[in-house]
């Protein structure tokens, strides 16, 4: 009869039992909703990270302004190539001066720094003084930093060129410091 007495007491006061039941159900519902929300948030983060990884790996590159038809990843080695540091420096100089000339600029002077601050970590630095128009400068900076080998613009000083020696209107006098990493002799 002891069990019947407990059942009678519980049935006599249904309000606390119902409140406890509803409280437990509310806590369980809250846990389910927060878990589902957290899972959806993590899923979105994984999708965003995967999209960024695809873009970094060149599977799906986004075209830059002015390059609407060019969606392929740059090809070639990310390092400056050459059997010696001198040959790699010459390759860097040739790459930059060719890019400047291709975009309508004129190289005034250039200098390679093989013994600079960054040379211990394998970087070769060059400085070029040139004149180029403003759209050409934008394309030059994009081509240098987005192409292969990986090049970094360390220094950029731009002045409006004046006088008859400037080569025309809208020309800019540019001092450009560019560095790239040489992997060393293979």
């Amino acid at each position: 009869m002891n069990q019947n007495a407990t059942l009678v007491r519980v049935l006599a006061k249904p309000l606390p039992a119902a409140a406890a039941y509803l409280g437990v159900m509310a806590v369980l519902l809250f846990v389910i909703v927060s878990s589902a929300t957290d899972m959806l948030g993590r899923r979105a983060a994984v999708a965003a990270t995967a999209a960024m990884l695809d873009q970094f790996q060149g599977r799906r590159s986004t075209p830059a302004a002015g390059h609407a038809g060019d969606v392929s990843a740059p090809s070639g080695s990310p390092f400056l190539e050459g059997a010696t540091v001198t040959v790699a420096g010459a390759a860097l100089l040739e790459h930059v001066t060719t890019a400047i000339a291709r975009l309508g600029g004129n190289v005034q002077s250039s200098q390679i720094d093989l013994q600079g601050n960054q040379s211990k970590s394998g970087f070769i630095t060059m400085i070029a003084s040139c004149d180029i128009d403003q759209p050409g400068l934008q394309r030059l900076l994009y081509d240098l930093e987005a192409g292969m080998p990986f090049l970094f613009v360390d220094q950029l000083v731009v002045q409006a060129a004046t006088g008859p020696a400037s080569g025309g209107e809208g020309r800019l006098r540019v001092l450009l410091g560019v560095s790239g990493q040489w992997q060393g002799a293979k």
Side-chain angles (χ1 to χ4, degrees):
M1 290 234 359
N2 201 9
Q3 289 178 348
N4 286 339
T6 306
L7 184 61
V8 169
R9 268 188 276 157
V10 169
L11 291 177
K13 298 183 180 183
L15 189 58
Y21 177 77
L22 289 177
V24 168
M25 292 307 288
V27 167
L28 287 176
L29 184 62
F30 175 75
V31 168
I32 290 171
V33 168
S34 66
S35 296
T37 304
D38 184 48
M39 187 170 50
L40 290 175
R42 287 181 186 219
R43 190 176 201 190
V46 167
T49 304
M52 189 182 308
L53 179 62
D54 286 347
Q55 186 176 1
F56 284 152
Q57 290 180 342
R59 293 184 200 147
R60 199 176 27 137
S61 63
T62 56
H67 298 282
D70 182 26
V71 293
S72 63
S75 61
S77 172
F79 299 103
L80 293 172
E81 302 215 0
T84 64
V85 69
T86 307
V87 173
L92 172 63
L93 181 65
E94 179 183 11
H95 183 82
V96 173
T97 56
T98 302
I100 292 170
R102 185 179 67 243
L103 296 169
N106 298 317
V107 177
Q108 308 297 323
S109 66
S110 61
Q111 172 184 334
I112 295 286
D113 185 11
L114 301 177
Q115 303 297 324
N117 300 359
Q118 296 180 341
S119 65
K120 290 184 178 83
S121 61
F123 280 88
I124 300 172
T125 303
M126 72 154 295
I127 297 175
S129 175
C130 64
D131 64 347
I132 192 168
D133 60 354
Q134 192 267 335
L137 177 60
Q138 287 180 330
R139 291 279 318 264
L140 174 67
L141 294 174
Y142 177 79
D143 289 348
L144 289 177
E145 289 197 334
M148 290 288 182
F150 288 151
L151 299 178
F152 306 97
V153 176
D154 300 322
Q155 179 182 7
L156 179 64
V157 179
V158 180
Q159 288 181 322
T162 58
S166 67
E169 278 193 37
R171 302 293 280 186
L172 303 171
R173 186 166 300 269
V174 178
L175 182 66
L176 183 67
V178 178
S179 64
Q181 190 169 17
W182 177 55
Q183 197 172 21
K186 295 179 184 176

